[in-house]
Amino acid sequence: MDLGIKGKTALVCASSKGLGLGSARALAEAGCAIVMNARGAEALEAAAEGIRRDFGVKVTAIAADITTEDGRARVLEAAGTLDILVTNAGGPPPGAWTDWTRDDFIAAFDANLLTPVALMKATLPAMIDRGWGRVVNITSVSVKSPIAALGLSNTARTGLTGYVAGVARQVAPHGVVINNLLPGLHGTDRMVQLENAASASSGKSVDQVRAERLATIPAGTYGDPRDFGATCAFMCSQFAGFMVGQNILLDGGATNSTL
Ligand code: NAP
């Protein structure tokens, strides 16, 4: 399917691995020039080279921490004028509500609320001027169904969801659409980290933790970052213009709700 975005330029943040990489690859397959970012230069360059080789599009890779003002400034300067923005960053660590400090909350807000807000503030004006733009924020299933150990994530991402609900309707008249994409359990490095943390805190083996997690997913597997990326690319496509301020859940049916 031609998504109608060939030749557009897309910034995909935090994209040397996992869901960000799946999204960058799917947008490259749709013909977009890609600006990608991560902190670690080696994995980032390897991921960028893979995209150039597989899809023949222009790829600009910027090693920077997207949660810092300086990192964002460097990425945005290299990106130039953008048609598509996919916000993403690492998720906060798991823990217990009794331990989280003000500094822990500020760090989570910086990474998973204020960073996407700053990126949207920087890029939406040019999209509005040109009458077309797409933004996808990678958030989490936790905004629909809280994950107790990820309270920092629950809190920061729900704040972003509220922000997007209002702003998406303010920019929609200008041909700019903003939506959120909510991953449930996907088979990425982040998942391995969370399995290890759950194993350490519960005394269960990693295999047991994984089996228990898989048992919560009606689809019976972890999500595939490639499928996630394809959904992201569709949400950035010409065909997504009537999808405004939505929260699209990809969780294999794990969240037990009717709507
Ligand atoms: P992942 O496999 O660990 O990949 C994270 C990517 O983000 C890496 O490329 C990493 O590279 C980059 N990154 C992390 N922090 C960054 C920063 N401050 N600045 C720039 N790049 C950064 O993680 P994932 O599973 O794809 O998760 C992506 C997001 O979705 C996270 O926020 C996660 O909490 C959320 N999520 C994931 C799942 C899941 O099941 N996987 C479920 C719900 C929500 P460097 O480390 O080199 O920077």
Side-chain angles (χ1 to χ4, degrees), residues 13-21 37-41 43-44 64-68 88-92 111-112 138-142 147 150 153 157 182-191 193-194 228:
C13 302
S15 53
S16 66
K17 298 178 187 168
L19 306 178
L21 178 57
N37 148 263
R39 292 163 303 179
L44 178 65
D65 184 340
I66 200 68
T67 68
T68 66
N88 186 30
N112 301 114
I138 298 179
T139 65
S140 173
V141 62
S142 70
I147 302 167
L150 292 177
S153 168
R157 296 186 199 277
L182 284 51
L185 301 179
H186 280 70
T188 66
D189 284 7
R190 163 86 170 163
M191 180 51 55
Q193 282 167 15
L194 291 176
F228 183 93

Side-chain angles (χ1 to χ4, degrees), residues 41-242:
E42 201 176 321
L44 178 65
E45 199 36 60
E49 195 45 46
I51 293 178
R52 289 184 196 107
R53 184 190 59 229
D54 293 345
F55 306 111
V57 296
K58 181 179 175 201
V59 181
T60 307
I62 310 296
D65 184 340
I66 200 68
T67 68
T68 66
E69 222 172 297
D70 170 65
R72 281 192 295 278
R74 286 198 289 122
V75 170
L76 288 168
E77 191 185 342
T81 304
L82 288 169
D83 304 293
I84 294 168
L85 167 67
V86 179
T87 75
N88 186 30
W97 66 271
T98 44
D99 299 335
W100 293 319
T101 64
R102 175 182 163 79
D103 286 348
D104 294 329
F105 279 103
I106 299 292
F109 293 164
D110 266 340
N112 301 114
L113 166 58
L114 298 176
T115 289
V117 166
L119 288 166
M120 282 185 269
K121 194 172 175 196
T123 57
L124 288 173
M127 294 182 191
I128 290 169
D129 282 350
R130 287 178 300 126
W132 195 95
R134 300 284 183 264
V135 178
V136 173
N137 299 292
I138 298 179
T139 65
S140 173
V141 62
S142 70
V143 302
K144 288 208 184 251
S145 177
I147 302 167
L150 292 177
L152 296 169
S153 168
N154 300 340
T155 311
R157 296 186 199 277
T158 309
L160 176 61
T161 306
Y163 174 88
V164 166
V167 174
R169 289 164 173 87
Q170 290 178 293
V171 301
H174 306 285
V176 178
V177 300
I178 312 178
N179 293 287
N180 302 321
L181 184 50
L182 284 51
L185 301 179
H186 280 70
T188 66
D189 284 7
R190 163 86 170 163
M191 180 51 55
V192 173
Q193 282 167 15
L194 291 176
E195 285 175 349
N196 288 339
S199 165
S201 65
S202 67
K204 296 173 186 171
S205 70
V206 172
D207 283 349
Q208 195 179 346
V209 167
R210 183 170 305 148
E212 288 175 7
R213 283 176 181 240
L214 288 173
T216 67
I217 306 174
T221 63
Y222 285 156
D224 184 330
R226 283 176 303 179
D227 298 348
F228 183 93
T231 305
C232 179
F234 176 79
M235 291 167 71
C236 297
S237 76
Q238 293 290 1
F239 307 111
F242 208 50

